[in-house]
Amino acid sequence: MTLELFLFFTLALIALVTAGGMVFSKSAVYAALNLVTNFLSVAILYLLLDAPFIALAQVTVYAGAIMVLFLFVIMLLGVETLRAEFDWKKIWLQAVLALALLVEGFVMLFQRMGQAANLPFNTASVLTNPSEMAKVLFTDYLLPFELTSILLLVAMIGAIVLTKQVKKRSL
Amino acid sequence: MTQTDFFTLLPAILLTLWACALLLVDVFTPGAHKGRTAFLAALGLAFTLGVTFLQPGEYTGFNGMVVRDGFANFLISLFLLTGLLGVAVAYGYLRRMGIERGEYYSLMLFSIVGMMLMAQATDLLVIFIALELLSIPLYVLAAFAYPNTASEEAGLKYFLLGAFSTGFVVYGIALTFGATGATSIAAIVAATAAGVANKALLLSGAALILVGLGFKTALVPFHMWTPDVYQGAPTSVTAFMAAGAKAAGFAALIRVFSSAFPALAADLTPILWALAALTMILGNLVAIAQSDIKRMLAYSSIAQAGYILMAFVAFGSDLARPVAISAALFYLVAYTVSSFGAWGVVISLEKEQGKDLQIADYAGLGKKFPWLAAAMTLFMLSFTGLPPTIGLIGKLYLFRAALQGGLYWLAIIGVVTSLISAFYYLRVVLTMYMKDGQPDVARETWLTATIVFSALATVIISLFPAPLFDWASRALLMVMK
């Protein structure tokens, strides 16, 4: 067994266990922490696939920003413990849909295994190499990048406008 | 960034910088003098309008992601006019309602930047960001009168449904990318022409983009948010977004569909046909049942969008498309001036706590304020499409475009629904002149100026439509290579 294969199985096991833990844990905080671990192990799986950019994006966006938001909301609302009982009758539709997705994933996997991705364009180099990504971002996609910065500024102004305390108004 | 890039986006760059500067100036403006911010915002808009006129011409910038062609120049000018009118109606209203804050004008300018980019974008990615840049300030402005619950509700509803509809646009862009491997219109055209694009995927993408833009332009059945948001938002915001957001949605719709998807016309035309027919019928019928003037005008704005879409249904025909685009542009101007006039009248009657917003409150206006009632009559006639107003000329052009495209049944639906609309528009006129009441109006210089300007434009352009229509006819889309 090579080191790579060993790493893969370890990470896959961690990802599966934490995904299960996230669904089944009674405490919302534990569920969130399980999800973080899941995100991190998947991020390392991306690294094994030679996709460092996606791996780091996974860590910063999902494991970082989104999870902090989740935990923040959980603790702010004080819903650390989930009272709802786990009831198969209530979630049968979700279960069926999830199962369908799983089957679809397996079918696609075995059908396409060993084939090159059949895309009319080449994204491989851009997606794997962060410096390639940066080159594209700051040349071809400079305008969307700059516009996004303005968009974030506007969102920030909006948030400040809407959360500032005001005296009684007449309208 | 090269010089061409700079000139392509000159109006948007100027306005963005101005909006940022306005934020800083506003910090040092004492609360009692917030009117200065409004004045400066108007100055910025007027300056940008001047620059746009002095620096027209065709440019392509940022690797073909944005263009400035006749179409974009026409709409940029319209958006800047919308902004000027929007500042004018807001100035006194915000003070009267006690919600005067400098950020209002900055957010408005940012929203206009988003509208301009919607008209200039030739890449779906830029359209998506422009759509957000246009919408996010509007969400905030709709909730600007918080902690007033109606305004909060309007903001939240608009935000949630707007975010939902943006999801459709993004999904549509993703499917289009999957089908053609590109987000730029030129590359989509190339891929479609070369036959490498997966047609089912491309069609689903186009349909989803249509849903998202249909939401912004308030087409039935994506109109659910419109009455509540138009009613709950501060009226000056409603006036601004009724004109601006709709025009921007149509700008993107026209450019994307006539540049990128003409090959799909055979499949998309029936969908557009149904949307236009539904919008005209439902908008006009439901408007009859409204007793609140803001809700009535909201449904009226839905119906107006149906007429504009009607002209554009036959976008696949090379013969009908230019006629439809110029008719749509002309009608957007007609709609903007008439609608600002009507909302201006609503603003001058509106009192604190949302009083005097029922149509019944307009009773006696004809006797007590004959000029204001005359102006309102003019705007109602313009919405209906009766002489002597710009609305009549605009509708004639739209119907001509529809007939050119061979859409006889749709044109008939349009005429019949116009007749139906006369019922609720003229009911306002009837209430003003035939019923007795003691209405009271606010006298504010800039508000009066807006109403006078709108009334004059409504009449004068109807008498001399040729220059504006010539301009609209010359406002062509740049051909994507």
Side-chain angles (χ1 to χ4, degrees), chain B residues 183-255:
Chain B
T183 53
S184 94
I185 291 181
I188 292 171
V189 172
T192 320
V196 293
N198 180 335
K199 195 173 170 223
L201 218 51
L202 191 60
L203 198 62
S204 329
L208 287 172
I209 293 173
L210 179 65
V211 171
L213 293 176
F215 175 89
K216 274 291 155 233
T217 48
L219 300 173
V220 177
F222 319 118
H223 69 290
M224 299 300 184
W225 57 279
T226 318
D228 290 346
V229 173
Y230 279 24
Q231 186 185 19
T235 314
S236 59
V237 177
T238 311
F240 172 67
M241 85 180 150
K246 199 177 291 280
F250 271 113
L253 189 73
I254 289 174
R255 185 181 300 274

Side-chain angles (χ1 to χ4, degrees), chain A residues 121 139-141 143-144 147-148 150-151 153-154 157-158 161-162 164 166 169-171, chain B residues 9 23 63 65 97 101 103 110 117 125 129 133 137 140 144-146 148 181 352-353:
Chain A
F121 45 88
T139 55
D140 295 353
Y141 290 92
L143 180 68
L147 285 178
T148 310
I150 298 174
L151 184 64
L153 172 73
V154 171
I157 298 167
V161 167
L162 287 182
K164 205 171 151 192
V166 284
R169 282 168 163 176
S170 43
L171 183 77
Chain B
L9 282 186
L23 281 172
N63 306 310
M65 280 197 172
M97 298 298 163
R101 289 180 64 184
E103 293 90 347
F110 279 121
L117 288 167
L125 209 55
I129 301 175
L133 190 56
V140 179
F144 207 74
Y146 74 93
N148 172 301
E352 292 179 351
Q353 309 292 345

